[in-house]
Coordinates of all heavy atoms in Angstrom, one line a residue:
A1 N 0.8 -1.2 0.0 CA 0.0 0.1 0.0 C 0.9 1.3 0.0 O 2.0 1.2 0.6 CB -0.9 0.0 1.2
F2 N 0.5 2.2 -0.7 CA 1.2 3.5 -0.8 C 0.5 4.5 0.1 O -0.6 4.9 0.0 CB 1.1 4.0 -2.3 CG 1.7 5.3 -2.5 CD1 3.1 5.4 -2.5 CD2 1.0 6.4 -2.8 CE1 3.7 6.6 -2.7 CE2 1.6 7.6 -3.2 CZ 3.0 7.6 -3.1
L3 N 1.2 5.0 1.1 CA 0.7 6.0 2.1 C -0.6 5.4 2.8 O -1.5 6.2 3.0 CB 0.5 7.4 1.4 CG 1.8 8.1 0.9 CD1 1.4 9.3 0.2 CD2 2.7 8.4 2.0
G4 N -0.7 4.2 3.0 CA -1.8 3.6 3.6 C -3.0 3.4 2.7 O -4.1 3.2 3.2
M5 N -2.8 3.6 1.5 CA -3.9 3.4 0.5 C -3.5 2.3 -0.6 O -2.4 1.9 -0.6 CB -4.0 4.7 -0.4 CG -4.4 5.9 0.4 SD -4.7 7.4 -0.6 CE -3.1 7.7 -1.3
A6 N -4.6 1.8 -1.1 CA -4.5 0.6 -2.1 C -5.6 0.7 -3.1 O -6.6 1.2 -2.8 CB -4.4 -0.7 -1.4
P7 N -5.3 0.2 -4.3 CA -6.4 0.2 -5.3 C -7.6 -0.5 -4.8 O -7.6 -1.4 -4.0 CB -5.8 -0.6 -6.4 CG -4.3 -0.4 -6.4 CD -4.1 -0.3 -4.8
G8 N -8.8 0.1 -5.1 CA -10.0 -0.3 -4.6 C -10.5 0.4 -3.3 O -11.8 0.4 -3.0
A9 N -9.6 1.1 -2.6 CA -10.0 1.9 -1.4 C -10.8 3.1 -1.9 O -10.7 3.6 -3.0 CB -8.8 2.3 -0.7
T10 N -11.6 3.6 -1.0 CA -12.4 4.7 -1.2 C -11.9 5.9 -0.4 O -11.8 5.7 0.8 CB -13.9 4.4 -0.9 OG1 -14.3 3.3 -1.8 CG2 -14.8 5.5 -1.2
I11 N -11.9 7.1 -1.0 CA -11.6 8.3 -0.3 C -12.9 9.2 -0.2 O -13.4 9.6 -1.2 CB -10.4 9.1 -1.0 CG1 -9.2 8.2 -1.0 CG2 -10.2 10.4 -0.3 CD1 -8.1 8.8 -1.9
P12 N -13.3 9.4 1.0 CA -14.6 10.3 1.1 C -14.3 11.7 0.8 O -13.2 12.3 0.9 CB -14.9 10.1 2.6 CG -13.6 9.8 3.3 CD -12.8 9.0 2.3
I13 N -15.4 12.4 0.2 CA -15.3 13.8 -0.1 C -16.5 14.5 0.5 O -17.6 14.0 0.1 CB -15.3 14.0 -1.6 CG1 -14.1 13.4 -2.3 CG2 -15.3 15.5 -2.0 CD1 -14.1 13.3 -3.8
R14 N -16.3 15.4 1.3 CA -17.4 16.1 2.1 C -17.3 17.6 1.9 O -16.3 18.1 2.3 CB -17.5 15.7 3.5 CG -17.9 14.2 3.6 CD -18.1 13.7 5.1 NE -18.5 12.3 5.0 CZ -17.5 11.3 5.1 NH1 -16.3 11.6 5.2 NH2 -17.9 10.1 5.1
L15 N -18.2 18.2 1.3 CA -18.3 19.7 1.1 C -19.7 20.1 1.7 O -20.6 19.4 1.7 CB -18.4 20.1 -0.3 CG -17.1 19.6 -1.2 CD1 -17.4 19.9 -2.6 CD2 -15.9 20.3 -0.8
G16 N -19.7 21.3 2.2 CA -20.8 21.8 2.8 C -21.1 23.3 2.8 O -22.1 23.8 3.4
R17 N -20.3 24.2 2.1 CA -20.5 25.6 2.2 C -21.6 26.1 1.3 O -22.6 26.6 1.6 CB -19.2 26.3 2.0 CG -18.2 26.1 3.1 CD -17.0 27.1 2.9 NE -16.1 26.9 3.9 CZ -14.9 27.3 3.9 NH1 -14.4 27.9 2.9 NH2 -14.1 27.1 4.9
I18 N -21.3 26.0 -0.1 CA -22.3 26.4 -1.0 C -23.2 25.3 -1.5 O -24.3 25.4 -1.6 CB -21.5 27.1 -2.1 CG1 -20.8 28.3 -1.6 CG2 -22.5 27.5 -3.3 CD1 -19.9 28.9 -2.7
V19 N -22.5 24.1 -1.8 CA -23.2 23.0 -2.3 C -22.9 21.9 -1.3 O -21.7 21.7 -1.0 CB -22.8 22.6 -3.7 CG1 -23.4 21.4 -4.2 CG2 -23.0 23.7 -4.7
T20 N -23.9 21.1 -0.7 CA -23.7 20.0 0.1 C -23.3 18.9 -0.8 O -24.1 18.5 -1.7 CB -24.9 19.8 0.9 OG1 -25.2 20.9 1.7 CG2 -24.7 18.6 1.9
L21 N -22.3 18.2 -0.5 CA -21.8 17.1 -1.3 C -21.1 16.0 -0.4 O -20.3 16.4 0.5 CB -20.8 17.4 -2.4 CG -20.2 16.4 -3.2 CD1 -21.3 15.8 -4.0 CD2 -19.1 17.0 -4.1
D22 N -21.7 14.9 -0.4 CA -21.1 13.7 0.4 C -20.9 12.6 -0.5 O -21.9 11.9 -0.8 CB -22.0 13.5 1.6 CG -21.4 12.4 2.6 OD1 -20.2 12.1 2.5 OD2 -22.1 12.1 3.5
T23 N -19.7 12.4 -1.0 CA -19.5 11.4 -2.0 C -18.1 10.8 -1.7 O -17.5 10.9 -0.7 CB -19.6 12.0 -3.4 OG1 -19.5 10.9 -4.4 CG2 -18.6 13.0 -3.8
A24 N -17.5 10.2 -2.8 CA -16.2 9.6 -2.7 C -15.6 9.4 -4.1 O -16.3 9.4 -5.1 CB -16.2 8.3 -1.9
V25 N -14.3 9.1 -4.1 CA -13.6 8.6 -5.3 C -13.0 7.2 -4.9 O -12.6 7.0 -3.8 CB -12.5 9.5 -5.8 CG1 -13.3 10.8 -6.3 CG2 -11.5 9.9 -4.8
R26 N -12.9 6.3 -5.9 CA -12.3 5.0 -5.6 C -10.9 5.1 -6.3 O -10.8 5.5 -7.4 CB -13.2 4.0 -6.2 CG -12.6 2.5 -5.8 CD -13.7 1.4 -6.1 NE -15.0 1.8 -5.8 CZ -15.5 1.7 -4.6 NH1 -14.7 1.4 -3.5 NH2 -16.9 1.9 -4.3
I27 N -10.0 4.5 -5.5 CA -8.6 4.5 -6.1 C -8.4 3.4 -7.1 O -8.7 2.2 -6.9 CB -7.5 4.1 -4.9 CG1 -7.5 5.2 -3.9 CG2 -6.1 4.0 -5.5 CD1 -6.8 5.0 -2.7
Q28 N -8.0 3.8 -8.3 CA -7.9 2.8 -9.4 C -6.4 2.3 -9.5 O -6.2 1.1 -9.7 CB -8.2 3.4 -10.8 CG -9.7 3.6 -11.0 CD -10.0 4.0 -12.4 OE1 -9.3 5.1 -12.9 NE2 -10.9 3.4 -13.1
A29 N -5.5 3.2 -9.4 CA -4.1 2.9 -9.6 C -3.2 3.8 -8.7 O -3.5 5.0 -8.5 CB -3.7 2.9 -11.0
L30 N -2.0 3.2 -8.2 CA -1.1 4.0 -7.5 C 0.3 3.6 -8.0 O 0.6 2.5 -8.3 CB -1.1 3.6 -5.9 CG -2.3 4.0 -5.3 CD1 -2.3 3.4 -3.9 CD2 -2.5 5.5 -5.2
S31 N 1.2 4.7 -8.0 CA 2.6 4.3 -8.3 C 3.4 5.4 -7.5 O 2.9 6.2 -6.9 CB 2.9 4.5 -9.9 OG 2.9 5.8 -10.2
Q32 N 4.7 5.4 -7.6 CA 5.5 6.4 -7.0 C 5.3 7.8 -7.6 O 5.6 8.7 -6.9 CB 7.0 6.0 -7.2 CG 7.4 4.7 -6.5 CD 7.5 4.9 -5.0 OE1 7.6 6.0 -4.5 NE2 7.6 3.7 -4.3
E33 N 4.8 7.9 -8.8 CA 4.6 9.2 -9.5 C 3.2 9.6 -9.5 O 2.9 10.7 -9.9 CB 5.3 9.1 -10.9 CG 6.8 9.0 -10.8 CD 7.2 7.5 -10.8 OE1 6.4 6.6 -11.2 OE2 8.3 7.2 -10.3
S34 N 2.2 8.7 -9.4 CA 0.9 9.1 -9.8 C -0.2 8.4 -8.9 O 0.1 7.3 -8.3 CB 0.5 9.0 -11.2 OG 0.5 7.6 -11.6
M35 N -1.4 9.0 -8.8 CA -2.6 8.3 -8.2 C -3.7 8.5 -9.1 O -3.9 9.7 -9.7 CB -2.9 8.9 -6.9 CG -1.8 8.8 -5.8 SD -2.4 9.6 -4.3 CE -2.1 11.3 -4.5
T36 N -4.4 7.5 -9.5 CA -5.6 7.6 -10.4 C -6.8 7.2 -9.6 O -6.9 6.2 -9.0 CB -5.4 6.8 -11.7 OG1 -4.3 7.2 -12.4 CG2 -6.7 6.9 -12.5
F37 N -7.8 8.0 -9.7 CA -9.1 7.8 -9.0 C -10.3 7.7 -10.0 O -10.3 8.4 -11.0 CB -9.5 9.0 -8.0 CG -8.4 9.3 -7.1 CD1 -7.4 10.2 -7.3 CD2 -8.3 8.5 -5.9 CE1 -6.4 10.6 -6.4 CE2 -7.2 8.8 -4.9 CZ -6.3 9.8 -5.2
A38 N -11.3 6.9 -9.6 CA -12.5 6.9 -10.4 C -13.6 7.5 -9.5 O -13.7 7.2 -8.4 CB -12.9 5.5 -10.8
T39 N -14.5 8.4 -10.2 CA -15.5 8.9 -9.4 C -16.6 7.9 -9.2 O -16.7 6.9 -10.0 CB -16.2 10.1 -10.1 OG1 -16.5 9.8 -11.4 CG2 -15.2 11.3 -10.1
I40 N -17.5 7.9 -8.2 CA -18.5 7.0 -8.0 C -19.9 7.6 -8.2 O -19.9 8.9 -8.3 CB -18.5 6.4 -6.6 CG1 -18.7 7.5 -5.5 CG2 -17.1 5.7 -6.3 CD1 -18.9 7.0 -4.1
P41 N -21.0 6.8 -8.4 CA -22.2 7.5 -8.6 C -22.6 8.4 -7.5 O -22.3 8.1 -6.3 CB -23.2 6.2 -8.6 CG -22.4 5.1 -9.0 CD -21.0 5.3 -8.5
G42 N -23.1 9.6 -7.8 CA -23.4 10.6 -6.8 C -22.3 11.7 -6.9 O -22.5 12.8 -6.4
H43 N -21.1 11.5 -7.5 CA -20.1 12.5 -7.6 C -20.5 13.4 -8.7 O -21.1 13.0 -9.7 CB -18.7 11.8 -7.9 CG -17.6 12.8 -7.8 ND1 -17.3 13.6 -8.8 CD2 -16.7 12.9 -6.9 CE1 -16.2 14.3 -8.5 NE2 -15.7 13.8 -7.3
I44 N -20.2 14.7 -8.6 CA -20.7 15.7 -9.6 C -20.0 15.4 -10.9 O -20.5 15.9 -12.0 CB -20.6 17.1 -9.1 CG1 -19.2 17.5 -8.8 CG2 -21.5 17.4 -8.0 CD1 -19.0 18.9 -8.5
L45 N -18.8 14.7 -11.0 CA -18.2 14.5 -12.2 C -18.4 13.0 -12.6 O -17.6 12.5 -13.5 CB -16.7 14.8 -12.1 CG -16.4 16.3 -12.0 CD1 -14.8 16.5 -11.7 CD2 -17.0 17.2 -13.0
Y46 N -19.3 12.3 -12.1 CA -19.5 10.8 -12.5 C -20.1 10.7 -13.8 O -21.0 11.5 -14.2 CB -20.4 10.1 -11.5 CG -20.6 8.7 -11.8 CD1 -19.7 7.7 -11.6 CD2 -21.8 8.4 -12.4 CE1 -19.9 6.4 -11.8 CE2 -22.0 7.0 -12.8 CZ -21.1 6.1 -12.5 OH -21.2 4.7 -12.8
P47 N -19.6 9.9 -14.6 CA -18.4 9.1 -14.6 C -17.1 9.8 -14.9 O -17.1 10.5 -16.0 CB -18.6 7.9 -15.5 CG -19.4 8.5 -16.7 CD -20.3 9.6 -15.9
A48 N -16.0 9.7 -14.2 CA -14.9 10.4 -14.6 C -13.6 9.7 -13.9 O -13.8 8.9 -13.1 CB -14.8 11.9 -14.1
S49 N -12.5 10.0 -14.6 CA -11.3 9.5 -14.0 C -10.3 10.7 -13.7 O -10.2 11.6 -14.6 CB -10.6 8.6 -15.0 OG -9.3 8.2 -14.7
I50 N -9.6 10.7 -12.6 CA -8.8 11.8 -12.2 C -7.5 11.3 -11.8 O -7.4 10.4 -10.9 CB -9.4 12.6 -11.0 CG1 -10.9 13.0 -11.2 CG2 -8.5 13.8 -10.6 CD1 -11.6 13.5 -10.0
T51 N -6.4 11.8 -12.5 CA -5.0 11.4 -12.1 C -4.2 12.5 -11.7 O -4.1 13.6 -12.4 CB -4.4 10.7 -13.4 OG1 -5.1 9.6 -13.9 CG2 -3.0 10.3 -13.0
F52 N -3.6 12.4 -10.5 CA -2.6 13.3 -10.0 C -1.2 12.7 -10.3 O -1.1 11.6 -9.9 CB -2.9 13.5 -8.6 CG -4.3 14.2 -8.2 CD1 -5.2 13.4 -7.9 CD2 -4.2 15.6 -8.1 CE1 -6.5 14.0 -7.6 CE2 -5.5 16.2 -7.8 CZ -6.6 15.4 -7.6
S53 N -0.4 13.5 -10.8 CA 1.0 13.0 -10.9 C 2.1 14.1 -10.7 O 1.7 15.2 -10.7 CB 1.2 12.5 -12.4 OG 1.1 13.5 -13.3
A54 N 3.2 13.6 -10.2 CA 4.3 14.5 -9.9 C 5.6 13.9 -10.4 O 5.8 12.7 -10.4 CB 4.3 14.7 -8.4
S55 N 6.5 14.8 -10.8 CA 7.7 14.4 -11.4 C 8.8 15.5 -10.9 O 8.5 16.6 -10.9 CB 7.8 14.2 -12.9 OG 7.4 15.4 -13.5
N56 N 10.0 14.9 -10.7 CA 11.1 15.8 -10.2 C 11.7 16.5 -11.4 O 11.9 15.9 -12.5 CB 12.2 15.0 -9.5 CG 11.8 14.5 -8.1 OD1 11.1 15.3 -7.4 ND2 12.2 13.4 -7.8
L57 N 11.9 17.8 -11.2 CA 12.6 18.6 -12.3 C 13.8 19.1 -11.6 O 14.0 19.2 -10.3 CB 11.7 19.8 -12.7 CG 10.3 19.4 -13.3 CD1 9.5 20.6 -13.6 CD2 10.6 18.5 -14.6
S58 N 14.7 19.7 -12.3 CA 16.0 20.2 -11.7 C 15.7 21.4 -10.9 O 16.6 21.7 -10.1 CB 17.0 20.5 -12.9 OG 16.4 21.5 -13.8
Y59 N 14.7 22.1 -11.1 CA 14.3 23.3 -10.4 C 13.1 23.1 -9.3 O 12.6 24.1 -8.9 CB 14.0 24.5 -11.3 CG 13.0 24.1 -12.4 CD1 11.7 24.4 -12.1 CD2 13.3 23.6 -13.6 CE1 10.7 24.1 -13.0 CE2 12.4 23.4 -14.6 CZ 11.0 23.5 -14.2 OH 10.1 23.3 -15.2
G60 N 12.6 21.9 -9.3 CA 11.4 21.7 -8.4 C 10.7 20.4 -8.8 O 11.2 19.5 -9.3
V61 N 9.4 20.6 -8.6 CA 8.5 19.4 -8.8 C 7.4 19.9 -9.8 O 6.8 20.9 -9.7 CB 7.9 18.9 -7.5 CG1 6.8 17.8 -7.9 CG2 8.9 18.4 -6.6
R62 N 7.1 19.0 -10.9 CA 6.0 19.3 -11.7 C 4.7 18.6 -11.2 O 4.9 17.3 -11.0 CB 6.3 19.0 -13.1 CG 5.0 19.0 -14.1 CD 5.3 18.7 -15.5 NE 6.1 19.8 -16.1 CZ 7.1 19.5 -16.9 NH1 7.3 18.3 -17.4 NH2 7.8 20.5 -17.5
F63 N 3.6 19.2 -11.0 CA 2.4 18.5 -10.6 C 1.4 18.7 -11.5 O 1.1 19.8 -12.2 CB 2.0 19.2 -9.3 CG 0.8 18.5 -8.7 CD1 1.0 17.3 -8.0 CD2 -0.4 19.0 -8.7 CE1 -0.1 16.6 -7.4 CE2 -1.5 18.4 -8.1 CZ -1.3 17.2 -7.4
N64 N 0.7 17.6 -12.1 CA -0.2 17.6 -13.1 C -1.6 16.9 -12.6 O -1.5 16.0 -11.8 CB 0.2 16.8 -14.3 CG 1.3 17.5 -15.1 OD1 1.2 18.7 -15.3 ND2 2.2 16.7 -15.5
I65 N -2.7 17.5 -13.0 CA -4.0 16.8 -12.8 C -4.5 16.6 -14.2 O -4.7 17.5 -15.0 CB -4.9 17.8 -12.0 CG1 -4.3 18.1 -10.6 CG2 -6.3 17.0 -11.8 CD1 -5.0 19.1 -9.9
D66 N -4.9 15.3 -14.4 CA -5.5 14.9 -15.7 C -7.0 14.4 -15.4 O -7.2 13.5 -14.6 CB -4.8 13.8 -16.4 CG -5.3 13.4 -17.7 OD1 -5.9 14.3 -18.4 OD2 -5.2 12.2 -18.0
L67 N -8.0 15.1 -15.9 CA -9.4 14.8 -15.6 C -10.0 14.3 -16.9 O -9.9 15.0 -18.0 CB -10.1 16.0 -15.1 CG -11.6 15.9 -14.9 CD1 -12.0 14.9 -13.9 CD2 -12.2 17.2 -14.5
K68 N -10.6 13.1 -16.9 CA -11.3 12.6 -18.1 C -12.7 12.4 -17.7 O -13.0 11.4 -16.8 CB -10.7 11.3 -18.6 CG -9.2 11.5 -19.1 CD -8.6 10.2 -19.6 CE -7.3 10.4 -20.3 NZ -6.2 10.0 -19.5
G69 N -13.6 13.2 -18.2 CA -15.0 13.0 -17.9 C -15.8 14.2 -18.5 O -15.2 15.0 -19.2
T70 N -17.0 14.3 -18.2 CA -17.8 15.3 -18.7 C -18.3 16.2 -17.6 O -18.9 15.7 -16.7 CB -19.1 14.7 -19.5 OG1 -18.5 13.8 -20.4 CG2 -19.9 15.9 -20.1
F71 N -18.0 17.5 -17.7 CA -18.5 18.5 -16.8 C -20.0 18.7 -16.9 O -20.4 19.1 -18.1 CB -17.7 19.8 -17.0 CG -17.3 20.5 -15.8 CD1 -16.9 19.8 -14.6 CD2 -17.5 21.8 -15.6 CE1 -16.4 20.4 -13.5 CE2 -17.1 22.5 -14.5 CZ -16.5 21.8 -13.5
P72 N -20.9 18.5 -16.0 CA -22.3 18.8 -16.2 C -22.6 20.3 -16.5 O -21.9 21.2 -16.0 CB -23.0 18.4 -14.9 CG -21.9 17.8 -14.1 CD -20.6 18.0 -14.7
S73 N -23.5 20.6 -17.5 CA -23.7 22.0 -18.0 C -24.3 22.9 -16.7 O -23.9 24.0 -16.7 CB -24.8 21.9 -19.0 OG -26.0 21.5 -18.6
W74 N -25.0 22.3 -15.8 CA -25.5 23.0 -14.7 C -24.3 23.5 -13.8 O -24.3 24.5 -13.2 CB -26.5 22.3 -13.8 CG -26.0 21.1 -13.1 CD1 -26.0 19.8 -13.5 CD2 -25.3 21.1 -11.8 NE1 -25.4 19.0 -12.6 CE2 -24.9 19.8 -11.5 CE3 -25.0 22.0 -10.9 CZ2 -24.3 19.4 -10.3 CZ3 -24.3 21.6 -9.7 CH2 -24.0 20.4 -9.5
L75 N -23.2 22.6 -13.7 CA -22.2 23.0 -12.9 C -21.3 24.0 -13.6 O -20.8 25.0 -12.9 CB -21.2 21.7 -12.6 CG -20.1 22.0 -11.7 CD1 -20.6 22.4 -10.3 CD2 -19.3 20.6 -11.5
S76 N -21.2 24.1 -15.0 CA -20.4 25.1 -15.6 C -21.2 26.5 -15.3 O -20.4 27.5 -15.2 CB -20.5 24.8 -17.2 OG -19.7 23.6 -17.3
R77 N -22.5 26.5 -15.4 CA -23.2 27.7 -15.2 C -23.1 28.2 -13.7 O -22.8 29.4 -13.5 CB -24.7 27.6 -15.5 CG -25.1 27.4 -16.9 CD -26.5 27.5 -17.2 NE -27.4 26.5 -16.4 CZ -27.5 25.3 -16.8 NH1 -27.0 24.7 -18.0 NH2 -28.2 24.4 -16.1
L78 N -23.0 27.3 -12.8 CA -22.8 27.6 -11.4 C -21.4 28.1 -11.1 O -21.2 29.2 -10.4 CB -23.1 26.4 -10.5 CG -22.9 26.5 -8.9 CD1 -23.9 27.6 -8.5 CD2 -23.0 25.2 -8.3
E79 N -20.5 27.5 -11.8 CA -19.1 28.0 -11.7 C -18.9 29.4 -12.1 O -18.4 30.3 -11.5 CB -18.2 27.0 -12.5 CG -16.7 27.7 -12.4 CD -15.8 26.8 -13.3 OE1 -16.2 25.7 -13.9 OE2 -14.6 27.1 -13.4
F80 N -19.6 29.7 -13.3 CA -19.5 31.0 -13.9 C -20.2 32.1 -12.9 O -19.6 33.2 -12.6 CB -20.2 31.1 -15.2 CG -20.2 32.5 -15.7 CD1 -19.2 33.1 -16.4 CD2 -21.4 33.3 -15.7 CE1 -19.2 34.4 -16.9 CE2 -21.5 34.6 -16.2 CZ -20.3 35.2 -16.8
E81 N -21.3 31.7 -12.3 CA -21.9 32.7 -11.4 C -21.3 32.8 -10.1 O -21.4 33.8 -9.4 CB -23.4 32.1 -11.1 CG -24.3 32.2 -12.4 CD -25.6 31.6 -12.2 OE1 -26.0 31.3 -11.1 OE2 -26.3 31.4 -13.2
L82 N -20.4 31.8 -9.7 CA -19.7 31.9 -8.4 C -18.3 32.4 -8.6 O -17.6 32.3 -7.4 CB -19.7 30.5 -7.7 CG -21.1 30.1 -7.3 CD1 -21.0 28.6 -6.8 CD2 -21.7 30.9 -6.3
G83 N -17.8 32.8 -9.6 CA -16.6 33.4 -9.8 C -15.5 32.8 -10.7 O -14.4 33.0 -10.7
G84 N -16.0 31.9 -11.6 CA -15.2 31.4 -12.6 C -14.0 30.6 -12.1 O -14.1 29.7 -11.3
N85 N -12.8 31.0 -12.5 CA -11.6 30.4 -12.2 C -11.3 30.2 -10.8 O -10.8 29.3 -10.2 CB -10.3 31.0 -12.9 CG -10.4 30.7 -14.3 OD1 -10.9 29.8 -14.9 ND2 -9.6 31.5 -15.1
A86 N -11.7 31.3 -10.0 CA -11.4 31.3 -8.6 C -12.3 30.2 -7.9 O -11.8 29.5 -7.1 CB -11.8 32.6 -7.9
F87 N -13.5 30.0 -8.4 CA -14.3 28.9 -7.9 C -13.6 27.5 -8.2 O -13.5 26.7 -7.3 CB -15.7 29.0 -8.4 CG -16.6 27.8 -8.0 CD1 -17.1 27.8 -6.6 CD2 -17.0 26.9 -8.9 CE1 -17.9 26.8 -6.3 CE2 -17.8 25.9 -8.5 CZ -18.3 25.8 -7.2
E88 N -13.2 27.4 -9.4 CA -12.7 26.1 -9.8 C -11.4 25.8 -9.1 O -11.2 24.7 -8.5 CB -12.4 26.2 -11.4 CG -11.8 24.9 -11.9 CD -11.5 24.9 -13.3 OE1 -11.9 25.8 -14.1 OE2 -10.9 23.9 -13.8
D89 N -10.5 26.8 -8.9 CA -9.3 26.7 -8.1 C -9.6 26.3 -6.7 O -9.0 25.4 -6.1 CB -8.5 28.0 -8.2 CG -7.9 28.3 -9.5 OD1 -7.9 27.4 -10.4 OD2 -7.4 29.5 -9.6
A90 N -10.6 26.9 -6.1 CA -11.0 26.6 -4.8 C -11.5 25.0 -4.6 O -11.1 24.4 -3.6 CB -12.1 27.4 -4.3
Q91 N -12.2 24.5 -5.7 CA -12.6 23.1 -5.6 C -11.4 22.2 -5.6 O -11.3 21.3 -4.9 CB -13.6 22.8 -6.8 CG -14.8 23.8 -6.7 CD -15.5 23.9 -5.3 OE1 -15.8 22.9 -4.8 NE2 -15.6 25.1 -4.8
W92 N -10.5 22.5 -6.7 CA -9.3 21.6 -6.8 C -8.4 21.7 -5.6 O -7.9 20.7 -5.1 CB -8.5 22.0 -8.0 CG -9.2 21.4 -9.3 CD1 -9.7 22.2 -10.3 CD2 -9.3 20.1 -9.6 NE1 -10.2 21.4 -11.3 CE2 -10.1 20.1 -10.8 CE3 -9.1 18.9 -9.0 CZ2 -10.4 18.8 -11.5 CZ3 -9.5 17.7 -9.7 CH2 -10.2 17.7 -10.8
N93 N -8.3 22.9 -5.0 CA -7.4 23.0 -3.8 C -8.1 22.2 -2.5 O -7.4 21.7 -1.8 CB -7.2 24.5 -3.4 CG -6.3 25.1 -4.4 OD1 -5.5 24.5 -5.0 ND2 -6.4 26.5 -4.5
H94 N -9.4 22.3 -2.5 CA -10.1 21.6 -1.5 C -9.9 20.1 -1.6 O -9.6 19.3 -0.7 CB -11.7 21.9 -1.5 CG -12.4 21.1 -0.5 ND1 -12.4 21.3 0.9 CD2 -13.1 19.9 -0.7 CE1 -13.1 20.4 1.5 NE2 -13.6 19.5 0.5
F95 N -10.1 19.6 -2.9 CA -9.9 18.2 -3.2 C -8.5 17.7 -2.9 O -8.3 16.7 -2.1 CB -10.2 17.9 -4.6 CG -10.1 16.4 -5.0 CD1 -11.1 15.5 -4.5 CD2 -9.0 16.0 -5.7 CE1 -10.9 14.2 -4.8 CE2 -8.9 14.7 -6.0 CZ -9.9 13.7 -5.6
L96 N -7.5 18.5 -3.2 CA -6.1 18.2 -2.8 C -5.9 18.2 -1.4 O -5.2 17.2 -0.9 CB -5.2 19.3 -3.5 CG -3.6 19.0 -3.2 CD1 -3.3 17.6 -3.8 CD2 -2.9 20.2 -4.0
G97 N -6.5 19.1 -0.7 CA -6.4 19.0 0.7 C -7.0 17.8 1.4 O -6.5 17.3 2.3
Q98 N -8.2 17.4 0.8 CA -8.7 16.1 1.3 C -7.9 15.0 1.1 O -7.7 14.1 2.0 CB -10.0 15.9 0.6 CG -11.1 17.0 1.0 CD -11.6 16.7 2.3 OE1 -11.9 15.6 2.8 NE2 -11.8 17.8 3.0
V99 N -7.2 14.9 -0.1 CA -6.2 13.8 -0.4 C -5.0 13.8 0.5 O -4.6 12.8 1.1 CB -5.8 13.9 -1.9 CG1 -4.6 12.9 -2.1 CG2 -7.0 13.6 -2.8
V100 N -4.4 15.1 0.7 CA -3.3 15.2 1.6 C -3.7 14.7 3.0 O -2.9 14.0 3.7 CB -2.7 16.5 1.6 CG1 -1.8 16.8 2.7 CG2 -2.1 16.9 0.2
G101 N -4.8 15.2 3.5 CA -5.3 14.8 4.9 C -5.5 13.3 4.9 O -5.2 12.7 6.0
F102 N -6.0 12.7 3.9 CA -6.2 11.2 4.0 C -4.9 10.5 4.0 O -4.7 9.6 4.6 CB -7.1 10.8 2.7 CG -7.4 9.4 2.7 CD1 -8.6 8.8 3.4 CD2 -6.7 8.5 1.9 CE1 -8.8 7.5 3.4 CE2 -7.0 7.2 1.8 CZ -8.1 6.6 2.6
C103 N -4.0 11.0 3.2 CA -2.7 10.4 3.1 C -1.9 10.5 4.5 O -1.3 9.5 5.0 CB -1.7 11.1 2.0 SG -2.3 10.7 0.4
K104 N -2.1 11.7 5.2 CA -1.5 11.8 6.5 C -2.1 10.9 7.5 O -1.4 10.3 8.4 CB -1.5 13.2 7.0 CG -0.6 14.2 6.2 CD -0.7 15.6 6.7 CE 0.2 16.4 6.0 NZ 0.0 17.9 6.3
A105 N -3.4 10.8 7.4 CA -4.1 9.9 8.4 C -3.7 8.5 8.2 O -3.8 7.6 9.1 CB -5.5 10.0 8.2
G106 N -3.4 8.1 7.0 CA -3.0 6.6 6.7 C -1.6 6.3 6.9 O -1.2 5.1 6.8
S107 N -0.7 7.3 7.1 CA 0.7 7.0 7.3 C 1.1 6.7 8.6 O 0.4 6.9 9.6 CB 1.5 8.1 6.6 OG 1.3 9.3 7.3

């Protein structure tokens, strides 16, 4: 297991400020450089696959997020009304914080 996680495990996602969301993603694959998750029914991006990867560079670390799925049209409208890129950045930062917290709890 990598940081206390293994393929098939579920990571809970709970939001509650603007939109109440209680869902999860399931770990599909783990390696030293990446983690791939599949959304489950009830997730706002279901069905989707999300891969976080990192690689060492001579000047730091490159971090990538690859999302394969369909963004629901109602969510695109909501994002625009709530601040566009700032809203999207907040969602990704929240998700990353949840993953980091889960990893720390499992180590």
